Amino acid sequence: LKSSSNASVILNRNFLLYQLQQEAPRPKRVTCPQEVSTFTVLYPFQNTLIFHGIISREYADELLDGVEGAYLIRESQRQPGTYTLALRFGHQSLNYRLFYDGKHFVGEKRFESVHDLVTDALITLYIETKAAEYIAKMTTNPIYEHLGYTSLLKDKTVHRLSRARTEPRRVTFQRDEKITSPVVRKTALKDATEKQCSYEKIHNFKVHTFRGPHWCEYCANFMWGLIAQGVRCSDCGLNVHKQCSKLVPSDCQPDLRRIKKVFSCDLTTLVKAHNTTRPMVVDMCIREIELRGMKSEGLYRVSGFSEHIEDVRLSFDRDGDKADISASAYADINIIAGVLKLYLRDLPIPVITFDLYSRFIQSAKIPDSESRLEAIHETLLQLPPAHYETLRYLMAHLKRVTMCEKDNLMNAENLGIVFGPTLMQPPELNALTTLNDMRQQKLVVQLMIEHEDVLF
């Protein structure tokens, strides 16, 4: 009964908001009786009848004549070259600085025409005036937990990603006092209890225009306005008010139908969409390389043909895990190694995230070897789960590559040179910063390979 009562209240309130939108004043153009000459036409509205040239705010108020919804455009007397939208609402004249960048706007929303802008503004002003108290309370009692979106997530029978991995091992490094070499001698596991870790992902909200009446999936209230009434998550399709988007939990479950490509897709988005522990590109490429390429001389250093690498990239984007990267399709293993490097290099957020980049660089600069490893280990624990798992899996593979050094001539130092800039990129693209950090980038990856069993 309580649920039914709440639904009835929400329905009535939504009807109220929708009704208020229908009741909002309609825009009324105030045209200029004579043609206004301008030396330079910069904006489309300079050639329209609603443009009144350089007039004062007081004169614009007279022209609006107290008619609700009446509007015109004028050029500022105090700042020639700037334009103002004068609008009559609530028995007063409102003035907004008007801009144009291919579309018209006074705030965040952009419109094809000034008339549409005014229509949307009148709807918003009217609803916010008539239902201010209700709007203020909209997000205080959300029904998000009971909506189909979250129920669907809870009812999914797929295996949880968290079961595929345990919490990263937190280790302490102990120096053997009898041996002077600064190499780590012993590791002791500390608090190594298993803990489930979920791959949390924030929603990727983008401003969206809804055609026809639409309701927020967080607070269940009507989304008013002519355009850009709310935001939609481009990864899962959740639709909410802009103000509600700040309160939605980080529980985005990407929909494969919305993921347009594999390469250049956020790592966490991809693994959640495919319900995998790591990106399938990483798994498939490493599996193929370990099957037939571990003894290939110059593995990861020798480049494959760029045309073939591009073919494989397109195949992954088109076919996903059905992409054929077998020896019958691509005999040169360097092509597959090149694809793996390209995938990691093209991630919008690198495996070693922008947020943690400087911490890894500073860790590599610590002179004491044990303290340096401890710092790297502590920073690794701060990585998002999908990034941590991808890095862990890659380092274990590269460690196995070094075990075949006699044949492939690739050691941890060589691989550090190759993968340093691939896995680590500074937050700001600065050639000098990148050049100065190359030594630390190489060292971080080298140490992660050499001490993979300890650090992960």
Side-chain angles (χ1 to χ4, degrees), residues 207-223:
V207 175
H208 188 77
T209 294
F210 299 96
R211 303 301 176 190
H214 224 83
W215 287 265
C216 174
E217 294 178 62
Y218 181 81
C219 69
N221 288 291
F222 180 65
M223 303 171 80

Side-chain angles (χ1 to χ4, degrees), residues 263-278:
F263 277 65
S264 302
C265 176
D266 173 67
L267 199 155
T268 302
T269 299
L270 191 67
V271 299
K272 284 184 74 69
H274 287 270
N275 192 41
T276 56
T277 308
R278 298 170 298 276

Side-chain angles (χ1 to χ4, degrees), residues 97-151:
R97 176 82 178 274
L98 183 62
F99 301 91
Y100 181 78
D101 64 355
K103 291 189 177 182
H104 308 274
F105 64 100
V106 297
E108 293 182 350
K109 293 186 180 183
R110 282 161 166 73
F111 299 81
E112 295 291 344
S113 70
V114 175
H115 193 77
D116 286 347
L117 187 160
V118 174
T119 302
D120 186 82
L122 289 170
I123 290 172
T124 302
L125 288 167
Y126 190 75
I127 290 179
E128 289 181 349
T129 301
K130 298 291 184 178
E133 185 178 348
Y134 171 58
I135 291 171
K137 295 179 179 178
M138 281 199 319
T139 60
T140 58
N141 188 28
I143 64 165
Y144 183 70
E145 293 290 329
H146 312 291
L147 289 175
Y149 175 77
T150 48
S151 299

Side-chain angles (χ1 to χ4, degrees), residues 19-305:
Q19 190 176 38
L20 288 175
Q21 173 163 303
Q22 300 303 106
E23 293 174 358
R26 296 292 183 262
K28 302 172 183 65
R29 299 180 180 90
V30 176
T31 58
C32 186
Q34 70 264 4
E35 183 178 347
V36 178
S37 60
T38 56
F39 294 105
T40 306
V41 176
L42 298 176
Y43 304 102
F45 48 71
Q46 288 178 280
N47 280 332
T48 64
L49 293 176
I50 56 172
F51 180 60
H52 290 249
I54 300 178
I55 62 174
S56 67
R57 177 176 295 206
E58 291 74 22
Y59 183 51
D61 191 23
E62 289 180 25
L63 292 173
L64 295 177
D65 195 29
V67 178
E68 286 290 282
Y71 72 96
L72 59 82
I73 298 172
R74 63 182 177 86
E75 187 172 356
S76 173
Q77 284 184 321
R78 296 179 180 177
Q79 293 180 292
T82 64
Y83 301 89
T84 299
L85 172 66
L87 171 65
R88 187 74 180 180
F89 176 80
H91 309 296
Q92 61 178 326
S93 295
L94 307 174
N95 292 272
Y96 301 95
R97 176 82 178 274
L98 183 62
F99 301 91
Y100 181 78
D101 64 355
K103 291 189 177 182
H104 308 274
F105 64 100
V106 297
E108 293 182 350
K109 293 186 180 183
R110 282 161 166 73
F111 299 81
E112 295 291 344
S113 70
V114 175
H115 193 77
D116 286 347
L117 187 160
V118 174
T119 302
D120 186 82
L122 289 170
I123 290 172
T124 302
L125 288 167
Y126 190 75
I127 290 179
E128 289 181 349
T129 301
K130 298 291 184 178
E133 185 178 348
Y134 171 58
I135 291 171
K137 295 179 179 178
M138 281 199 319
T139 60
T140 58
N141 188 28
I143 64 165
Y144 183 70
E145 293 290 329
H146 312 291
L147 289 175
Y149 175 77
T150 48
S151 299
L152 180 64
L153 292 183
K154 290 176 182 178
D155 294 341
K156 279 183 179 292
T157 56
V158 294
H159 293 293
R160 292 187 62 185
L161 290 170
S162 56
R163 292 175 184 171
R165 68 177 283 260
T166 60
E167 182 184 4
R169 295 182 304 168
R170 184 178 299 277
V171 300
T172 56
F173 300 88
Q174 299 177 348
R175 179 177 292 131
D176 190 333
E177 300 296 342
K178 296 180 180 178
I179 304 177
T180 57
S181 172
V183 180
V184 173
R185 298 294 188 267
K186 183 180 180 182
T187 64
L189 295 183
K190 202 174 186 181
D191 301 327
T193 55
E194 184 173 322
K195 177 184 176 182
Q196 287 192 335
C197 184
S198 60
Y199 281 34
E200 281 193 353
K201 180 188 179 308
I202 62 174
H203 290 273
N204 185 19
F205 287 120
K206 302 276 177 60
V207 175
H208 188 77
T209 294
F210 299 96
R211 303 301 176 190
H214 224 83
W215 287 265
C216 174
E217 294 178 62
Y218 181 81
C219 69
N221 288 291
F222 180 65
M223 303 171 80
W224 61 86
L226 187 65
I227 71 165
Q229 302 94 330
V231 293
R232 168 176 287 175
C233 177
S234 58
D235 295 333
C236 71
L238 184 69
N239 304 312
V240 295
H241 289 114
K242 183 179 178 181
Q243 63 267 34
C244 291
S245 68
K246 301 170 185 176
L247 305 173
V248 175
S250 300
D251 60 356
C252 177
Q253 182 62 48
D255 187 339
L256 272 175
R257 292 171 297 180
R258 297 179 179 276
I259 306 302
K260 305 299 183 184
K261 55 186 178 180
V262 171
F263 277 65
S264 302
C265 176
D266 173 67
L267 199 155
T268 302
T269 299
L270 191 67
V271 299
K272 284 184 74 69
H274 287 270
N275 192 41
T276 56
T277 308
R278 298 170 298 276
M280 44 85 172
V281 177
V282 174
D283 276 9
M284 290 175 64
C285 288
I286 287 179
R287 191 182 308 124
E288 194 66 26
I289 291 166
E290 295 198 350
L291 179 67
R292 58 187 176 95
M294 295 294 274
K295 295 184 179 181
S296 176
E297 185 175 331
L299 181 64
Y300 289 117
R301 190 180 67 234
V302 177
S303 300
F305 287 110

